[in-house]
Amino acid sequence: MNYRFAYAVGFHPWEDAERDLNFVNTISKLLEREESGRRPPYGLALDLGCGSGVWGVQLAKRGWQVTGIDIVEKALKRGRDRIRAAGVDMRLVHGDVTALRQAGVGTGFRLVLDSGTFHGLTGAQREAMGREINASAAPDATVLLLVWPARKRPLIRGADRGDVEAAFPEWKVTDVVASGFTPPKILEVLLRPDEHWYRLRRR
């Protein structure tokens, strides 16, 4: 997926997920698990490949201190507009998810959220992303990855559990949960996303 081109022409159907009730309910339950027994502010959260900040804004509304990173400046511009409209505090960083330290995102993140970046990367990029998350996350952090399965399709490579585990050798997959998202019929036929959330915790 060429995200710079996609945003340049106004193609960003992944933002529609915020209007899909099943998807929203699933991600809400995942976040409630991480927030259980605590009161806001919940701590630092890192939104990887944040795009226009759809989920970063939601995290901020829930009481997380959010940093979002994306490589597409036009997506970040949309994100700044979204943040202002929502009236929340969220920091945006222009940078690559495979080079978090170079981008200066910081450390100590208790929650790392990736709503669709990992499965589009090459094997080497996934391993680099895993190393960067390992260095940036807090000792008690949770990583939530939204992953399409590996299969032949246009635009998105996809990944399987083995790919996730290879990129995060110091982490354990604790849960794999269907996202509940219902894509438009044409995208379902062409892309067959069948996406799942992977929850990871340090070993």
Side-chain angles (χ1 to χ4, degrees), residues 1 5 10 25-26 30 35 41 44 64 74 84 86 93 95-96 98 125 146 155 160 177 198:
M1 171 72 76
F5 177 76
N25 287 338
T26 299
L30 290 169
E35 298 161 357
L44 301 180
W64 292 88
K74 188 161 187 178
R84 281 194 294 270
V93 176
D96 194 321
T98 67
Q125 289 172 327
L146 184 63
L155 302 178
D160 57 28
V177 180
Y198 284 72

Side-chain angles (χ1 to χ4, degrees), residues 8 12 35 60 62 75 79 104 106 111 130 138 155 158:
H12 30 71
E35 298 161 357
R62 297 178 71 99
L111 176 66
L155 302 178

Side-chain angles (χ1 to χ4, degrees), residues 158-169:
D160 57 28
R161 182 170 180 149
D163 296 319
V164 174
E165 292 174 339
F168 295 88

Side-chain angles (χ1 to χ4, degrees), residues 118 123 126-127 130-131 145 147 159-176 198-201 203:
F118 179 85
R126 290 169 182 170
E127 291 178 4
R131 288 193 298 270
L145 297 177
V147 180
D160 57 28
R161 182 170 180 149
D163 296 319
V164 174
E165 292 174 339
F168 295 88
E170 298 183 37
W171 299 70
K172 179 181 179 180
V173 175
T174 67
D175 301 271
V176 182
Y198 284 72
R199 180 180 185 267
L200 293 85
R201 296 279 294 177
R203 293 186 183 278

Side-chain angles (χ1 to χ4, degrees), residues 6-190:
Y7 274 99
V9 299
F11 177 76
H12 30 71
W14 45 87
E15 294 183 4
D16 295 340
E18 69 173 332
R19 294 189 290 274
D20 187 299
L21 291 181
N22 288 333
F23 185 91
V24 171
N25 287 338
T26 299
I27 191 172
S28 293
K29 289 178 182 177
L30 290 169
L31 296 176
E32 286 168 6
R33 178 175 181 176
E34 308 311 321
E35 298 161 357
S36 179
R38 294 190 284 153
R39 293 183 178 181
Y42 296 116
L44 301 180
L46 180 60
D47 185 5
L48 296 171
C50 66
S52 65
V54 170
W55 302 112
V57 165
Q58 295 303 317
L59 285 173
K61 287 180 177 180
R62 297 178 71 99
W64 292 88
Q65 298 159 288
V66 187
T67 295
I69 181 170
D70 203 283
I71 202 168
V72 182
E73 181 55 45
K74 188 161 187 178
L76 294 174
K77 182 180 183 301
R78 285 171 57 84
R80 295 183 193 104
D81 293 341
R82 187 186 300 277
I83 290 165
R84 281 194 294 270
V88 298
D89 184 20
M90 176 180 172
R91 174 185 173 224
L92 294 178
V93 176
H94 183 246
D96 194 321
V97 298
T98 67
L100 298 175
R101 286 171 287 187
Q102 181 179 330
V105 298
T107 58
F109 294 99
R110 298 192 67 179
L111 176 66
V112 179
L113 179 73
D114 170 18
S115 57
T117 301
F118 179 85
H119 60 206
L121 303 177
T122 65
Q125 289 172 327
R126 290 169 182 170
E127 291 178 4
M129 177 177 161
R131 288 193 298 270
E132 293 297 301
I133 290 174
N134 200 51
S136 302
D140 61 345
T142 296
V143 176
L144 296 175
L145 297 177
L146 184 63
V147 180
W148 291 17
R151 59 171 56 121
K152 289 184 179 180
R153 65 163 70 84
L155 302 178
I156 302 294
R157 289 184 177 88
D160 57 28
R161 182 170 180 149
D163 296 319
V164 174
E165 292 174 339
F168 295 88
E170 298 183 37
W171 299 70
K172 179 181 179 180
V173 175
T174 67
D175 301 271
V176 182
V177 180
S179 77
F181 181 59
T182 304
K185 191 63 179 178
I186 188 169
L187 293 183
E188 175 67 34
V189 172
L190 289 175

